Amino acid sequence: MTGRTTGVTARIRQSTLVWPVLALAALLVVNVVVTPSFFDIRLQDGHLYGSLIDILKNGAPTLLIALGMTLVIATRGIDLSVGAVVAIAGAVACTSIAGANDPGGASAAFLAMTLALALCLLLGAWNGFLVSVLGIQPIIATLVLMTAGRGIAMLITDGQIVTVNNGTYAAVGAGFLVLPVAILISLGVFVLVAVLTRKTALGMLIEAVGVNPTASRLAGVRSRTIVWTVYVFAALCAGVAGLMISANVSAADANNAGLWIELDAILAVVIGGTALSGGRYSLTGTLVGALLIQTLTTTVYTIGIPSEVTLVFKALVVIAVCLLQSPKARALLRRNRTPAVAQADIGDAPEPRGATVTEDVPSSKVGQR
């Protein structure tokens, strides 16, 4: 029984999720200390409200984008354009609703969201084409759309903040079905991705492409198709996240919507234990990472950190978590904790009784009588 317990403890200590979970728990404790009612959840008019609900709701777009980013990174790629895709999705949807014959109707909302997601799929296919067919480095291929995407969104909105008044569209970002609709959508996508990648061979094929694209191609894996597909999926997730962000405020701000959200998504993936070098990935780790990023943002505002040092504080916390995840950093910390006096004590230890004292014999005397 003791051996089994020791084995479980060792596996827990070696897990990449230990430190992110502990960091998340520490942030929650800090919030409780500052705001004792932080864990309070109330039911009002059939809707759940509370600080924890707000964290889940505000973190839903980041989680969605991080899920797509996880699969992209697992194939040795990266997608820097997801923030621009978020802005484009919101711009297309709001512009379409504002120009409809019935701006408040449900049909206008569904048509607008369909057009936005269709364009996002095309943008993802463009990224996948550049990476998988033309062989352009992913960071360069997606940097093109990252740079041009916000310009496209500004052209769609004529450089203005487009506001709409459509209840169906607003429900995507601000609606409730007991829980906020944004939470339900993100959790639904999470479960769908988990089932498709862990209950079928798709996850293994994605990891194979990430570990060695050439070997997987020679083994009969359609690596080009897989790489293309994950970029399309990442753009689709970014499009849905863009609709959430836009619908939450019933407006499209092409200049600020989804700004730097790609960095939060990449951080969530890395904190969750997925290596940027590709191969094995962790969807659960991505979920924990996204919650950690959003909880950190909430904590910054809760404890009253000045806005000018907010990003610095977030960076320090992320660096600390990443260092604690690093095996080399943990080994170095353990080595430094070992007192240097211990080795000195070993050298000064008395000889045991009965030990034979031998004298050093010069090498020239060896073999002489």
Side-chain angles (χ1 to χ4, degrees):
M1 186 67 181
T2 304
R4 183 182 302 175
T5 305
T6 304
V8 172
T9 304
R11 284 196 298 271
I12 292 176
R13 292 178 60 184
Q14 293 174 359
S15 173
T16 57
L17 292 179
V18 171
W19 291 109
V21 170
L22 290 178
L24 178 59
L27 289 175
L28 293 175
V29 169
V30 170
N31 281 281
V32 171
V33 171
V34 176
T35 308
S37 62
F38 184 78
F39 281 158
D40 292 351
I41 296 177
R42 68 183 188 277
L43 182 64
Q44 180 178 340
D45 298 329
H47 304 157
L48 288 176
Y49 295 94
S51 298
L52 293 179
I53 302 298
D54 291 339
I55 289 176
L56 293 175
K57 177 186 174 183
N58 295 331
T62 302
L63 173 59
L64 265 181
I65 296 176
L67 287 174
M69 191 72 72
T70 300
L71 301 185
V72 170
I73 290 177
T75 61
R76 290 190 179 186
I78 198 82
D79 191 348
L80 300 179
S81 67
V82 288
V85 174
V86 165
I88 291 173
V92 170
C94 287
T95 303
S96 176
I97 292 175
N101 294 328
D102 182 15
S107 58
F110 286 120
L111 177 60
M113 290 187 285
T114 302
L115 290 175
L117 294 180
L119 180 56
C120 291
L121 290 175
L122 289 176
L123 295 175
W126 167 254
N127 284 336
F129 173 76
L130 294 180
V131 175
S132 64
V133 178
L134 299 186
I136 300 176
Q137 288 293 326
I139 193 171
I140 302 299
T142 57
L143 185 62
V144 173
L145 185 56
M146 176 186 178
T147 305
R150 292 201 177 270
I152 296 173
M154 294 288 285
L155 288 174
I156 294 173
T157 60
D158 290 329
Q160 305 296 320
I161 297 178
V162 180
T163 59
V164 295
N165 185 13
N166 188 298
T168 304
Y169 183 65
V172 175
F176 278 84
L177 291 174
V178 183
L179 285 172
V181 174
I183 297 176
L184 299 177
I185 292 175
S186 61
L187 290 181
V189 174
F190 175 82
V191 172
L192 178 63
V193 173
V195 170
L196 289 178
T197 58
R198 294 309 185 191
K199 298 299 182 181
T200 68
L202 179 59
M204 182 184 64
L205 296 178
I206 291 174
E207 291 182 350
V209 171
V211 171
N212 194 324
T214 303
S216 62
R217 178 174 55 82
L218 294 176
V221 178
R222 296 182 177 179
S223 57
R224 178 180 297 178
T225 303
I226 290 176
V227 171
W228 205 332
T229 302
V230 295
Y231 279 95
V232 172
F233 177 71
L236 178 62
C237 289
V240 177
L243 295 179
M244 285 182 182
I245 294 172
S246 173
N248 189 44
V249 294
S250 293
D253 184 356
N255 197 36
N256 294 309
L259 190 62
W260 309 126
I261 197 170
E262 61 271 9
L263 302 185
D264 283 346
I266 294 172
L267 281 175
V269 174
V270 174
I271 288 174
T274 299
L276 289 174
S277 56
R280 295 184 63 85
Y281 61 92
S282 172
L283 295 176
T284 304
T286 296
L287 173 62
V288 173
L291 292 177
L292 176 61
I293 293 296
Q294 185 56 49
T295 305
L296 179 58
T297 302
T298 302
T299 305
V300 166
Y301 296 121
T302 300
I303 64 181
I305 293 179
S307 58
E308 58 269 17
V309 296
T310 295
L311 295 178
V312 176
F313 177 77
K314 289 178 66 174
L316 291 176
V317 174
V318 170
I319 289 173
V321 174
C322 291
L323 285 177
L324 291 173
Q325 281 183 294
S326 170
K328 290 185 178 181
R330 292 201 304 268
L332 184 61
L333 290 174
R334 284 196 298 267
R335 190 183 309 159
N336 291 337
R337 279 205 305 266
T338 304
V341 184
Q343 293 188 357
D345 291 342
I346 294 176
D348 297 337
E351 295 179 356
R353 292 183 178 180
T356 304
V357 179
T358 58
E359 297 181 356
D360 293 337
V361 181
S363 57
S364 58
K365 300 295 183 179
V366 177
Q368 298 183 7
R369 295 184 182 275

